[in-house]
Amino acid sequence: MKKVITYGTFDLFHIGHLNILKRAKELGDYLIVGVSSDDFNLEKGKVCMIPDYERMEIVSAIKYVDEVILETSWDQKKEDILRYQIDTFVMGDDWEGKFDELKEYCDVVYLPRTEGISTTDIKDQIQKGKTKTLK
Ligand code: C2G
């Protein structure tokens, strides 16, 4: 069985998130998703709209996802890859090259991001009181 792992915040879950999970699953048989904790996000300077336990519940309901774990630190990826005997590590290409040191332990794949959507854009639009159709 080929095991794949990916990580993300998945705040205000959108089609870009769904697409990467679908394509990650296509690379193997079993997909594990590490969802960033609220505290880990604060370390990265990001405040989430949706708490981590709800983001985990949403991601675990996606049909491509077999298992969800909490991501709490940068060092965790290597430990997870070894613990879960991962074959392929996947991230969007906004992270291109950033996790190449993991190539020592498994395949590392950066998939193209879905154009035109991000949690930041959604938050900006809401703040400006705009909707996509009125833009
Ligand atoms: N993504 C995508 N297309 C978008 C937006 C996001 O393919 N339009 C991908 C990202 O490239 C990432 C995943 O969806 O692989 C999750 O994105 P975020 O929720 O923004 O997570 P991020 O802050 O990148 O968290 O340890 C690393 C972090 O956990 C990564």
Side-chain angles (χ1 to χ4, degrees):
M1 184 172 67
K2 199 171 166 193
K3 285 175 137 185
V4 181
I5 199 162
T6 192
Y7 295 84
T9 308
F10 305 105
D11 195 24
L12 300 179
F13 196 92
H14 58 64
I15 193 71
H17 296 144
L18 188 66
N19 286 339
I20 198 153
L21 296 177
K22 180 171 193 279
R23 287 178 295 158
K25 179 60 178 273
E26 284 166 1
L27 296 176
D29 308 298
Y30 191 84
L31 176 62
I32 301 176
V33 182
V35 173
S36 303
S37 71
D38 294 337
D39 286 346
F40 183 40
N41 271 294
L42 280 180
E43 263 178 54
K44 295 192 262 178
K46 279 181 25 177
V47 179
C48 288
M49 304 293 291
I50 309 296
D52 47 26
Y53 56 89
E54 289 184 9
R55 289 183 284 111
M56 287 178 85
E57 206 174 320
I58 291 164
V59 171
S60 69
I62 302 297
K63 66 178 176 182
Y64 312 114
V65 177
D66 297 291
E67 191 171 340
V68 170
I69 57 174
L70 194 64
E71 183 194 29
T72 58
S73 75
W74 289 111
D75 302 336
Q76 192 183 322
K77 294 184 181 69
K78 179 187 155 189
E79 291 161 23
D80 290 342
I81 286 166
L82 298 174
R83 178 183 311 148
Y84 295 102
Q85 301 183 322
I86 298 298
D87 299 284
T88 308
F89 168 89
V90 175
M91 287 300 290
D93 63 4
D94 46 325
W95 291 96
E96 182 80 50
K98 296 275 166 38
F99 299 112
D100 282 357
E101 76 275 7
L102 299 173
K103 285 180 181 170
E104 202 180 318
Y105 311 102
C106 66
D107 291 337
V108 173
V109 176
Y110 302 100
L111 293 173
R113 269 170 75 88
T114 302
E115 295 290 318
I117 181 120
S118 73
T119 301
T120 311
D121 284 349
I122 295 171
K123 284 195 219 165
D124 285 351
Q125 294 295 319
I126 293 169
Q127 213 160 23
K128 288 179 193 149
K130 287 186 188 169
T131 68
K132 276 213 144 175
T133 46
L134 292 174
K135 201 163 71 171

